[in-house]
Amino acid sequence: MSELLTITLPALGDFDDIEIIEVLIVPGDVIEAEDSTIILESDKATMEIPSPYSGKVVSVHVKVGERISEGTIIAKVEAIEAIKEEPVVEQKEAAPTIAETVAESTAELKVADTESLVEQKKTKLPPMASVNHEEHHSNKFIHASPSIRRYARELGVNLDLVIATGAKGRILKEDVKAFIKGSLAAAPTSGGISVSAMPTIDFSKFGEVEVEPLSRIQKLSGAHLHRSWVSVPHVTQFDEADITELEAFRKSLKSEAEKKGVRLTPLVFMMKAVVAALQAFPRFNASLDSSGERLILKKYFHIGVAVDTPNGLMVPVIRDVDKKGLYDLAAELATTAQRARDGKLLPFDMQGGCFTISSLGGIGGTNFTPIVNAPEVAILGVAKAKMQPVYQPDGSFIAALVLPLALSYDHRVIDGAQGARFTSFLSQVITDIRRVLL
Ligand code: CAO
C-alpha cells in the first residue's frame, strides 16, 4: 500500500487564523505537486496553498469559511511521488478584471473599422461555466499551475474546457486567453450559447500543409458573420423572377450607358427593385434595438452591396438609392466596388446600411443562403440568371431568362408569410421593372 501523506498549512509569515474562501480538491482527485488545494484570504492578500505531493486525495479536512493556522491538516494524499522542497505559497496582487482581459483579448480587433466592429467590442463575455470547483470538478485531470488556475478562476473560465498546448498537456496563460477569444467570437448578443474552442490539430501529421494567416478584413468580417449567424434566427425564402424583359431593356441601354462611361449590370435594377419592396414592406427596413424589445423603422434607403475583394468580403453602403437614377447608381457602384478592392474604403462607407444585396450572379451557382448582415433584418442573395422553359397557362412553354433569388431574414422580426410576400412582390417588380415607378 502506498504511503499516506498529510498536507498541512505551512508557515505563512505574519499570517495566522486565515479564512478559507475556496476548497479546490475533493476525495478521489489525482493531484500533482504544486497544484492548489485551497485558497485563503486575509485582509491583505489571497493565497493559494499548493500541495507538496503528487497523489490521490483520500480525505479533505477543511471547508470553506473555516479559519486555519500553521499546522492545520488540509488533506491526506495517497502518495505517488514525494517532493523534497518546501512548497512556494503564491501571494497575488488583485487579479485582472474581466474588462481588462476582454480588452486584452480583443486588442487586435481594436482598429476602428466598421460599425459592426464597434459593436463587436461591446460584446459581453458569454456566461461561462461556474468556478465552483466542488460542483464542476470533472474526472479529467487538469495540468495547470496555481497562477493559471487563479487566472482562470478570476475570469470565470472552467479549465475543463480549455485546450492545453503546454508541455505534457499543461494549460498555459495563452490557452486561457485563446479560450476567452473563442468564446467572445461565438458570443451571442443575448442568451446562453457558449461554444467551446476548436481543438488544436497538427494537420501536418496527415500530409504536407502550408499556413496562410487570415487578412485583417477576413478576421473582422469573420467575427461579424459568426455573431450574426449565432445570434439571428435565420430563415431563407427562395423565389425567382423572369428577367427576360429587364434584360432586353438593359441591353437596349447599353450603348447609351457606354457613352456616359458606365456599365449597367442587373445589380442596379435589383437595388431599385429592393427599395420598392422596402417601401411596400417597411418592417424589412428596420433594426431591433439592443434590448431586442423595440423595432427601429428607417425612413431612408441605404443599400449595402457585398463586394468580393482580394482581402476578403466588404459591404460598402450606397446611400439614398431611392433618390438616384440607374446611371448614377451604376457609376457609384463601380467606383465604390473599386475603392473596396483597392482597400480605400473609410469606416463611414460601410455604415448605415438598411438592407444588403449579395450578388454572385456574375460568377455562377444556382442559389445560396446569405447570412443576414445584423443589425439589418434581411439580405437578398442573387444568383446567376439562366434560360429556362417556363410553362404557360395554355400548356405551351416559352424560353425565359430566370433569376434565382434568396431572401434570408431575421425570424424574430419577420414572419414566414411576410418573407414570401416580400419575395413575390420583388419578383413582380423585377419581372416588370416599370413597377418601380408606381
Ligand atoms: N445573372 C447573370 N449575369 C449576371 C448577373 C446575374 N444575376 N449579375 C451580373 N451578371 C453579369 C453582368 O451583367 C456582367 O456581364 P456584362 O458585363 O456582360 O453585363 C457580369 O455578370 C459581371 O458582373 P459584375 O460582377 O462585374 O458586376 P455586378 O454589378 O453584377 O456586381 C459586385 C458588382 C461588386 C457586386 C461584384 O463584382 C461582386 O463583388 N460580387 C461578389 C459579391 C460576393 O462576394 N457575395 C458573397 C457575399 S457572402 O460571402
Side-chain angles (χ1 to χ4, degrees), residues 34-288:
E34 294 300 319
D35 277 349
S36 298
T37 57
I38 57 173
I39 301 178
L40 302 176
E41 189 175 58
S42 75
D43 50 358
K44 295 202 183 102
T46 58
M47 287 160 276
E48 300 201 4
I49 307 302
S51 168
Y53 314 114
S54 296
K56 187 172 178 185
V57 177
V58 175
S59 55
V60 177
H61 297 258
V62 289
K63 52 183 190 291
V64 172
E66 211 174 297
R67 303 185 80 87
I68 61 173
S69 303
E70 182 184 352
T72 302
I73 296 175
I74 297 170
K76 294 202 171 160
V77 171
E78 204 174 278
I80 293 173
E81 182 192 344
I83 287 198
K84 310 273 180 313
E85 313 123 51
E86 278 292 299
V88 180
V89 176
E90 291 202 23
Q91 290 189 19
K92 297 286 176 183
E93 298 296 315
T97 62
I98 287 183
E100 281 162 2
T101 303
V102 170
E104 201 185 331
S105 297
T106 55
E108 69 226 41
L109 297 177
K110 277 200 167 168
V111 191
D113 209 22
T114 66
E115 195 176 47
S116 60
L117 175 57
V118 174
E119 283 153 25
Q120 167 80 15
K121 282 196 281 180
K122 288 187 200 154
T123 305
K124 292 188 190 100
L125 266 177
M128 289 186 193
S130 156
V131 294
N132 183 336
H133 285 234
E134 284 180 3
E135 282 170 26
H136 289 273
H137 223 87
S138 74
N139 290 328
K140 182 181 146 198
F141 187 71
I142 296 166
H143 292 274
S145 69
S147 61
I148 296 301
R149 285 175 186 274
R150 180 185 167 78
Y151 183 64
R153 199 164 39 249
E154 291 291 340
L155 296 170
V157 172
N158 181 351
L159 286 177
D160 280 347
L161 302 176
V162 176
I163 293 163
T165 62
K168 295 184 183 165
R170 272 200 174 266
I171 295 176
L172 309 176
K173 194 171 184 183
E174 285 61 41
D175 301 331
V176 178
K177 284 186 191 168
F179 175 82
I180 293 170
K181 275 188 199 172
S183 302
L184 276 173
T189 48
S190 61
I193 300 175
S194 154
V195 183
S196 57
M198 284 284 183
T200 306
I201 297 171
D202 177 7
F203 295 99
S204 65
K205 282 193 302 200
F206 310 113
E208 190 185 337
V209 295
E210 186 186 323
V211 179
E212 182 188 290
L214 291 183
S215 69
R216 194 171 63 85
I217 302 288
Q218 283 169 329
K219 283 194 251 180
L220 291 169
S221 65
H224 176 60
L225 286 166
H226 191 179
R227 191 183 49 153
S228 294
W229 179 248
V230 297
S231 61
V232 173
H234 279 73
V235 175
T236 303
Q237 172 70 51
F238 298 105
D239 215 324
E240 51 192 24
D242 179 344
I243 60 162
T244 316
E245 284 186 20
L246 177 106
E247 194 56 8
F249 178 48
R250 186 178 78 89
K251 285 196 171 135
S252 74
L253 295 173
K254 202 166 179 178
S255 62
E256 192 177 308
E258 273 167 13
K259 277 188 206 138
K260 291 179 184 290
V262 295
R263 202 164 56 95
L264 270 189
T265 62
L267 185 53
V268 283
F269 295 91
M270 298 300 133
M271 292 166 73
K272 289 301 267 188
V274 159
V275 168
L278 293 177
Q279 286 166 335
F281 299 89
R283 217 175 160 82
F284 286 75
N285 190 15
S287 287
L288 276 174

Side-chain angles (χ1 to χ4, degrees), residues 21 44 83 97-99 155 176 181 259 280 282 286 296 314 328 336 342 349 362 394 400 435:
I21 58 163
K44 295 202 183 102
I83 287 198
T97 62
I98 287 183
L155 296 170
V176 178
K181 275 188 199 172
K259 277 188 206 138
I296 298 156
M314 303 199 82
D328 289 341
T336 306
D342 295 342
D349 294 325
D394 66 2
R435 287 178 173 272

Side-chain angles (χ1 to χ4, degrees), residues 337-405:
Q338 195 52 50
R339 282 173 55 229
R341 291 186 182 113
D342 295 342
K344 292 193 175 145
L345 290 179
L346 300 172
F348 186 70
D349 294 325
M350 289 172 282
Q351 293 171 0
C354 304
F355 181 103
T356 295
I357 302 178
S358 176
S359 172
L360 293 173
I363 301 170
T366 53
N367 221 327
F368 63 105
T369 53
I371 296 177
V372 172
N373 187 16
E376 297 168 18
V377 294
I379 180 169
L380 180 71
V382 182
K384 191 174 182 65
K386 203 165 73 175
M387 289 303 292
Q388 282 179 22
V390 175
Y391 183 76
Q392 300 297 296
D394 66 2
S396 64
F397 286 88
I398 58 161
L401 186 61
V402 177
L403 180 73
L405 303 171

